[in-house]
Amino acid sequence: ALLDKESRAKRLEAGKKLERVKLEKPEPEKKSVTPPPKKRRIADKDEKRRREMVRIIPAAFADFGVAARFTEFISGHTITRYKLKLERSQKLSKVKGLEDDVAMRLGVANVFITRSETESQTVYVDIPNEIVTPLYFHDAPQEEGKLIIGVGLERKPVFSDMDELCHLLIAGATGSGKSVFLNALICSLIREGPEKNQLVMIDPKAVELKPYEDIPHLWQPVITDSTEAIVALGKVADEMESRYRQFPK
């Protein structure tokens, strides 16, 4: 009971603290986005590696009893997709089961094999690039109400409709790019003015979201205290329910 009283007292104090926060902020100084550096030509080493793969991949398949011929490749930012036409009918399970063996044969960390949805007896072999081409947010196109998710293999932008994206969970191993992806999503949101998008940011580590402390899109300052976070989420829920009641029935 004592803990409950203390908890309620903390929440009440946090609520009063948030009420004292001035939500109206002076218009921040507009700064231009730093353009990316000039694109360099792809290194000769990477081009040479692709030419070698065009020759080695069919040979690697042949070593494991699968006859295939190379038709074309698509070079992405992080992987290159090689398209192979199987010479005779083969079970996809058998071809896909060669991923680890082919990776060892090619001397790469991993290989991912998929079948073509449009062409019969055709498979795609995805191999990581030795040289990863940086992708700059500055180059990403802008669409109103859309979140930029990334760029596909053919270097076409991938968007998600904000109205249909109710919840989003970002997960991955250390160093896989979670923070970079999160920052890209936030920047995609704040490209539009604060009159369209308002944000509540909760950052328990007080590190990840610090650069956004001065943006005018914040409903309130970046929250780092767990008690304040509970109060803020309650206020957001109240606002959401208020808007639901305003919808025509």
Side-chain angles (χ1 to χ4, degrees):
L2 182 60
L3 289 176
D4 289 341
K5 288 182 180 179
E6 291 179 355
S7 178
R8 284 197 295 270
K10 286 183 178 180
R11 293 187 186 184
L12 182 60
E13 179 61 29
K16 292 179 179 179
K17 182 179 178 181
L18 291 178
E19 290 294 342
R20 293 194 295 267
V21 173
K22 292 182 179 180
L23 300 182
E24 295 182 359
K25 299 181 180 180
E27 188 70 22
E29 180 185 355
K30 292 185 178 180
K31 298 179 181 180
S32 60
V33 179
T34 303
K38 293 182 179 180
K39 296 179 180 179
R40 300 176 180 176
R41 285 189 292 177
I42 298 175
D44 293 338
K45 179 182 178 182
D46 212 33
E47 288 291 344
K48 181 180 178 181
R49 181 174 182 262
R50 292 193 182 100
R51 290 195 297 269
E52 290 176 349
M53 287 296 177
V54 168
R55 174 181 56 83
I56 295 174
I57 292 175
F61 272 71
D63 290 344
F64 299 105
V66 177
R69 59 183 175 83
F70 166 80
T71 57
E72 63 176 336
F73 71 82
I74 302 173
S75 175
H77 287 274
T78 58
I79 68 169
T80 298
R81 170 167 289 179
Y82 299 86
K83 184 177 176 181
L84 299 177
K85 184 80 172 180
L86 302 179
E87 297 294 346
R88 58 180 181 275
S89 179
Q90 299 278 356
K91 288 185 177 180
L92 178 62
S93 58
K94 177 183 178 182
V95 178
K96 191 167 179 61
L98 297 176
E99 287 178 341
D100 291 340
D101 295 325
V102 171
M104 290 185 63
R105 174 73 170 76
L106 299 178
V108 297
N110 52 67
V111 167
F112 189 61
I113 300 174
T114 56
R115 69 179 180 86
S116 170
E117 298 289 343
T118 57
E119 300 180 50
S120 61
Q121 294 303 114
T122 300
V123 295
Y124 300 125
V125 182
D126 296 343
I127 297 177
N129 294 337
E130 281 189 348
I131 300 174
V132 176
T133 307
L135 176 61
Y136 297 97
F137 183 80
H138 183 278
D139 294 334
Q142 180 179 0
E143 288 192 20
E144 186 174 354
K146 302 278 188 180
L147 295 176
I148 179 69
I149 301 298
V151 173
L153 181 62
E154 296 182 353
R155 309 201 178 205
K156 294 181 180 178
V158 179
F159 293 100
S160 179
D161 194 326
M162 194 162 54
D163 293 337
E164 299 176 358
L165 193 64
C166 183
H167 297 89
L168 176 64
L169 174 66
I170 302 173
T174 301
S176 60
K178 299 185 297 297
S179 295
V180 173
F181 180 56
L182 177 61
N183 283 298
L185 286 180
I186 294 174
C187 290
S188 188
L189 283 169
I190 64 177
R191 270 184 164 182
E192 298 182 1
E195 68 280 356
K196 290 190 176 181
N197 293 323
Q198 287 191 324
L199 307 176
V200 175
M201 293 187 174
I202 301 173
D203 183 15
K205 294 191 293 184
V207 174
E208 293 286 344
L209 303 178
K210 189 174 179 61
Y212 302 102
E213 285 181 340
D214 297 325
I215 64 173
H217 301 70
L218 290 182
W219 200 33
Q220 59 194 54
V222 177
I223 300 169
T224 57
D225 181 78
S226 59
T227 305
E228 292 181 14
I230 294 172
V231 175
L233 291 175
K235 290 181 177 294
V236 172
D238 291 342
E239 176 67 20
M240 180 181 66
E241 291 175 358
S242 174
R243 293 183 183 185
Y244 278 141
R245 287 192 293 269
Q246 294 176 18
F247 288 158
K249 296 183 178 180

